[in-house]
Amino acid sequence: EADIYQTPRYLVIGTGKKITLECSQTMGHDKMYWYQQDPGMELHLIHYSYGVNSTEKGDLSSESTVSRIRTEHFPLTLESARPSHTSQYLCASSEGYVRGIDTQYFGPGTRLTVL
Amino acid sequence: GESVGLHLPTLSVQEGDNSIINCAYSNSASDYFIWYKQESGKGPQFIIDIRSNMDKRQGQRVTVLLNKTVKHLSLQIAATQPGDSAVYFCAESVRGNQFYFGTGTSLTVIP
């Protein structure tokens, strides 16, 4: 069982609010990721990090930002939430491509609804 | 980006039967593949992985087959149980850089 946590699990918020989705892992993994997933659909990578002070944008354009000040913590921030941001946000971490294997462990997700 | 798609969006099987979930990928350079299981309200859970230097890998009740010639991946679940009901995703990557996920297949096990 992976030790990766996300809070809150559910969030309903009004348009224009600033929100931060928290993600923490206790496995000491260098690589962390944020995915966006609509119900029944594939996961889209929005941000990733290969270590402290390293952040990159993924393939899916996102108005969110991330930071990686500590290895275990990878928060995602929306400065001004909009209804189009309504989705599930999944955080993941991995040890990295070691000996040809790179298993990503996922958190339970945050389901965000913007009214 | 890469295209990773599953052939069937839904699959229903009788409890005890074997299930086969298929996945097509488009990047011939992909060398690492993972199958994930996602239950309702939860994040994806690792099931099994396979590297491109292998054709087959077996786990507990699951087998992944890789056909690099036609860029096809399949997940076989033996003696399917009600607890196997979930959405299954395949994901591909090149040396672990950026995983691309396909649209999931929803597996329903009929008791």
Side-chain angles (χ1 to χ4, degrees):
Chain A
E1 194 73 22
D3 295 321
I4 180 164
Y5 309 98
Q6 290 185 243
T7 57
R9 290 293 312 278
Y10 302 92
L11 179 62
V12 180
I13 201 163
T15 297
K17 300 292 185 182
K18 177 180 179 179
I19 58 171
T20 296
L21 308 184
E22 302 289 347
C23 176
S24 295
Q25 51 94 6
T26 58
M27 297 170 283
H29 287 169
D30 286 327
K31 296 173 76 170
M32 295 189 74
Y33 312 82
W34 276 103
Y35 291 89
Q36 187 173 339
Q37 182 187 32
D38 291 324
M41 302 297 288
E42 64 262 44
L43 284 71
H44 293 286
L45 181 68
I46 50 177
H47 295 284
Y48 61 99
S49 168
Y50 285 168
V52 171
N53 294 325
S54 155
T55 61
E56 300 288 342
K57 286 185 179 294
D59 287 340
L60 183 67
S61 174
S62 174
E63 294 161 338
S64 58
T65 58
V66 292
S67 63
R68 189 85 183 278
I69 299 172
R70 303 198 315 266
T71 298
E72 62 271 22
H73 196 215
F74 192 41
L76 180 144
T77 298
L78 277 168
E79 291 293 332
S80 180
R82 296 208 301 270
S84 60
H85 295 137
T86 295
S87 188
Q88 171 153 272
Y89 293 84
L90 290 160
C91 180
S93 74
S94 72
E95 187 178 5
Y97 197 67
V98 178
R99 294 180 296 278
I101 298 172
D102 185 14
T103 302
Q104 292 191 11
Y105 296 94
F106 284 83
T110 293
R111 182 163 295 283
L112 173 66
T113 302
V114 183
L115 304 175
Chain B
E2 281 76 5
S3 171
V4 181
L6 295 171
H7 293 312
L8 296 174
T10 61
L11 178 65
S12 295
V13 298
Q14 206 71 37
E15 180 178 358
D17 287 351
N18 297 334
S19 303
I20 299 176
I21 301 172
N22 295 306
C23 177
Y25 64 95
S26 60
N27 186 359
S28 57
S30 291
D31 61 359
Y32 183 59
F33 306 85
I34 300 179
W35 279 100
Y36 286 94
K37 172 186 179 183
Q38 186 175 26
E39 297 175 271
S40 180
K42 297 182 180 179
Q45 180 183 9
F46 172 88
I47 300 174
I48 192 168
D49 60 357
I50 189 168
R51 293 164 55 191
S52 60
N53 61 351
M54 304 170 70
D55 297 323
K56 177 180 179 180
R57 189 154 191 238
Q58 288 184 291
Q60 188 178 12
R61 283 203 305 119
V62 295
T63 300
V64 54
L65 298 177
L66 175 63
N67 186 330
K68 295 181 288 293
T69 302
V70 295
K71 297 198 286 284
H72 183 267
L73 198 67
S74 69
L75 176 71
Q76 300 178 3
I77 305 173
T80 313
Q81 302 168 0
D84 295 327
S85 293
V87 176
Y88 290 81
F89 293 92
C90 66
E92 64 169 317
S93 76
V94 178
R95 292 186 56 79
N97 293 319
Q98 288 205 33
F99 283 87
Y100 294 90
F101 289 78
T103 305
T105 291
S106 177
L107 174 65
T108 300
V109 181
I110 304 166

